[in-house]
Amino acid sequence: MNTVCNWMNNLGFKYCQRRKGYYVDIHEKPATVEYRRKFVERYLKYERRAHRWIQIPLEESRKLEMEEMIPVDIGYRYTDGNKNEMVEYHVDRQTLDRAEWRKSNNSKR
């Protein structure tokens, strides 16, 4: 327990008795509404640059590979907390669309 307390102190946390406080609901205040509007605009711009991925069960991934809907073995395989085998595909890392991939894949056969 001493180690935890030492770390907490080093991180700037202090032990003190709980003080009462209060919460003021100002979600409709004009400045808050304006900030939220600007935040949403910024967020939507940043979202375009964010990583996107999908996670599907391994069986579904294999089916899509067999149907040549996705390239073989490009996803990250893992087992989730419920012991389901899953595959994660990073959508933004895929540079070829399906038609281009099928064309290049068929030419290699």
Side-chain angles (χ1 to χ4, degrees):
M1 188 68 159
N2 282 341
T3 303
V4 172
C5 290
N6 289 336
W7 270 105
M8 295 300 284
N9 285 333
N10 288 338
L11 292 171
F13 291 93
K14 301 292 180 212
Y15 180 80
C16 62
Q17 288 205 350
R18 183 174 172 234
R19 297 183 214 156
K20 290 187 175 189
Y22 65 94
Y23 174 76
V24 178
D25 187 5
I26 57 171
H27 69 278
E28 292 181 8
K29 184 177 168 184
T32 303
V33 172
E34 180 63 18
Y35 173 81
R36 192 168 47 240
R37 185 186 66 75
K38 289 180 179 178
F39 171 81
V40 169
E41 286 176 9
R42 283 193 316 270
Y43 177 82
L44 293 174
K45 287 179 184 174
Y46 295 147
E47 185 182 36
R48 288 183 233 151
R49 297 185 295 185
H51 294 288
R52 291 177 179 83
W53 61 88
I54 59 169
Q55 296 139 345
I56 59 175
L58 179 60
E59 294 84 29
E60 187 177 340
S61 171
R62 287 184 174 152
K63 180 183 172 198
L64 293 170
E65 289 174 352
M66 294 289 288
E67 294 171 357
E68 296 186 345
M69 297 295 289
I70 57 174
V72 178
D73 293 329
I74 64 163
Y76 170 73
R77 293 183 182 193
Y78 66 98
T79 303
D80 70 6
N82 296 322
K83 301 193 181 198
N84 298 314
E85 292 185 55
M86 304 290 289
V87 182
E88 180 177 281
Y89 293 97
H90 290 263
V91 177
D92 54 339
R93 294 184 65 185
Q94 182 62 30
T95 57
L96 298 174
D97 68 18
R98 285 188 201 133
E100 288 180 27
W101 176 77
R102 283 186 186 143
K103 184 179 174 183
S104 67
N105 194 40
N106 288 335
S107 66
K108 292 177 184 176
R109 290 182 182 176

